[in-house]
Amino acid sequence: MECMIAKPSKGAAGKTGLWRTFKPIYHPERCNLCQLCWLYCPENVIDVSEDGITIDYEYCKGCGICAKICVKNAIEMVREEET
Amino acid sequence: MKFFFSSGHGACPGCALPIAVKNVLYALEGKCFVVNPTGCLEIISSQYDRSAWGVPYIHSVFENAAAVAAGIEAALKALGRKDEGHVVVFAGDGATADIGIGCLSGMFDRDHDVLYICLDNEAYQNTGNQQSGLTPPGSNTTTTPVGKLLPGKVGKKKDMVAFALAHGVKYVATASVAYPMDIRRKAKRAVEFEGAKYIQIHCPCVTGWGINSNETVKVAKLAVETALYPLVEYENGELVRVRKIKQRKPVEEYLKVQRRFRHLFKHPKGKEIIEMLQKIADENAKRFGLDE
């Protein structure tokens, strides 16, 4: 029975960070910790702590909702460079 | 700050469904049994062998999500395990308004203790933008294509709130992904009621509506601010709360940012449709007292 049950896990569709065209860059000096990005992020990759936010780039799809919703412009979308 | 819907699911970048789902699950503190009919949400979160759900989850077929939820609720009642969690259905608009409407009506009629949430993205977006009962008039879909004669969908958006109210459902509300705190409050309020509950959440679709991935929240906000999607709340059949609009915007502002309404501005019958949509918005504002 054990193998029949799908355990909840990150990456149900694989490493979705590979889908990204634009990468969100966080500027901690402008952030006022309003947590709006955390509230709206469809991917749940933003984690808030007292020192600021962290973004999990392994799964972030780069939709840009966080940058658009941020009132302080603390998140900037930068085009991914080819590696 | 734990969410019960993990990252790395297969939704398009900028999809609104996960915003609605994660906030509902957060509000219910993960104490729920989720039933999910076929639709976008199913294919993005539960591909074979994998699952993004941190709560008990069952995928039913397209038409019987409400019946499956009713069965789970009856079983929990019979086993005396009702305190373990709420039974929640996350259904798309097609599964709610077209295919599953019979089972939904039966569930409302028997008044099972189920929270039914309709994630309204206004077409069958999973299969590529086909018209559903909740598609607004004038929308360009693959089954109502714009041509020389037809200006998109003919007819009206089905009033599912009135449908739920006619069944005597105790808690009926509409919400929008533009206001996640409102979604959380409504989900929390809904589960305080015993019996069937219905919430309809407006979720813009990036690919079907033809919007930028970062404009999801903006478009959802515009739908509320133009009064095309009024946020209302009924308790025991009475209108108790609405979201007031400070300065109501003309519907063109909502229409012009979307590809599915682009033809309205040059089609010979487009003006007629825009006037009709404006009339619907005016009627909504008058009926619910949206203007401040």
Side-chain angles (χ1 to χ4, degrees):
Chain A
M1 266 314 275
E2 189 68 18
C3 59
M4 297 288 286
I5 298 166
K7 292 273 166 59
S9 58
K10 281 187 174 183
K15 297 264 185 276
T16 48
L18 295 170
W19 302 9
R20 199 167 53 229
T21 318
F22 289 93
K23 187 178 183 179
I25 304 290
Y26 174 54
H27 297 287
E29 68 280 1
R30 297 185 206 153
C31 180
N32 65 351
L33 283 178
C34 68
Q35 306 188 0
L36 273 181
C37 50
W38 168 79
L39 194 64
Y40 280 95
C41 177
E43 207 58 34
N44 300 338
V45 290
I46 294 177
D47 209 358
V48 184
S49 67
E50 281 173 17
D51 316 321
I53 64 163
T54 48
I55 301 170
D56 185 353
Y57 289 114
E58 209 165 332
Y59 296 109
C60 171
K61 288 172 190 157
C63 64
I65 286 181
C66 50
K68 198 92 173 176
I69 209 78
C70 186
V71 283
K72 290 274 182 187
N73 289 327
I75 298 176
E76 187 190 354
M77 301 305 286
V78 181
R79 187 174 267 277
E80 285 273 334
E81 280 168 32
E82 281 187 32
T83 48
Chain B
M1 293 206 197
K2 196 189 167 200
F3 283 116
F4 299 92
F5 195 70
S6 31
S7 35
H9 51 70
C12 310
C15 180
L17 300 180
I19 306 178
V21 171
K22 79 172 190 181
N23 282 302
V24 169
L25 294 180
Y26 189 88
L28 303 179
E29 295 164 352
K31 269 185 76 178
C32 49
F33 302 92
V34 171
V35 183
N36 182 210
T38 307
C40 269
L41 187 60
E42 175 247 329
I43 58 149
I44 66 172
S45 64
S46 62
Q47 282 104 333
Y48 178 68
D49 206 18
R50 286 164 175 188
S51 167
W53 294 84
V55 294
Y57 169 83
I58 181 168
H59 166 228
S60 68
V61 290
F62 222 138
E63 59 271 24
N64 70 351
V68 170
I72 293 172
E73 191 263 344
L76 288 174
K77 205 189 254 174
L79 294 169
R81 289 169 60 183
K82 277 221 71 174
D83 54 333
E84 281 183 27
H86 315 283
V87 183
V88 182
V89 182
F90 284 107
D93 56 300
T96 305
D98 298 344
I99 302 176
I101 200 163
C103 284
L104 178 62
S105 176
M107 193 270 281
F108 282 165
D109 187 37
R110 296 186 297 271
D111 207 16
H112 286 282
D113 193 9
V114 171
L115 170 59
Y116 195 101
I117 294 172
C118 169
L119 301 166
D120 178 11
N121 53 19
E122 304 197 322
Y124 291 88
Q125 306 292 9
N126 173 20
T127 45
N129 200 21
Q130 282 83 26
Q131 176 219 290
S132 82
L134 287 179
T135 308
S139 175
N140 179 15
T141 68
T142 50
T143 44
T144 56
V146 176
K148 275 182 191 155
L149 293 174
L150 279 182
K153 180 184 170 171
V154 184
K156 274 188 175 175
K157 188 180 165 87
K158 218 180 251 187
D159 194 351
M160 286 303 288
V161 171
F163 173 84
L165 285 173
H167 282 77
V169 173
K170 292 192 191 78
Y171 184 86
V172 184
T174 54
S176 169
V177 287
Y179 306 99
M181 293 312 281
D182 188 50
I183 295 179
R184 288 186 186 187
R185 187 184 60 76
K186 278 172 178 160
K188 260 188 209 153
R189 180 76 185 133
V191 293
E192 286 172 17
F193 286 81
E194 184 85 12
K197 283 89 62 173
Y198 180 78
I199 301 178
Q200 189 171 315
I201 303 178
H202 194 223
C203 301
C205 173
V206 173
T207 51
W209 295 17
I211 53 177
N212 259 346
S213 68
N214 58 4
E215 282 179 345
T216 310
V217 174
K218 182 186 138 192
V219 171
K221 216 168 245 177
L222 276 173
V224 176
E225 284 170 354
T226 53
L228 277 173
Y229 211 91
L231 300 191
V232 297
E233 210 175 349
Y234 288 89
E235 286 175 10
N236 298 314
E238 275 176 36
L239 185 66
V240 284
R241 275 179 287 275
V242 293
R243 176 172 278 273
K244 298 264 185 193
I245 307 163
K246 278 219 177 84
Q247 267 186 329
R248 193 146 58 82
K249 291 177 178 161
V251 290
E252 281 94 337
E253 274 189 47
Y254 171 63
L255 304 178
K256 74 185 175 196
V257 292
Q258 300 174 53
R259 189 188 58 215
R260 61 174 183 160
F261 289 122
R262 189 171 54 181
H263 60 279
L264 291 181
F265 296 96
K266 40 188 186 222
H267 198 278
K269 285 186 190 161
K271 214 176 165 200
E272 209 176 298
I273 298 273
I274 293 175
E275 272 167 20
M276 191 174 115
L277 286 166
Q278 185 62 55
K279 213 176 139 202
I280 293 171
D282 291 344
E283 269 169 20
N284 281 339
K286 207 175 147 199
R287 185 170 152 209
F288 301 115
L290 297 176
D291 289 319
E292 234 171 27

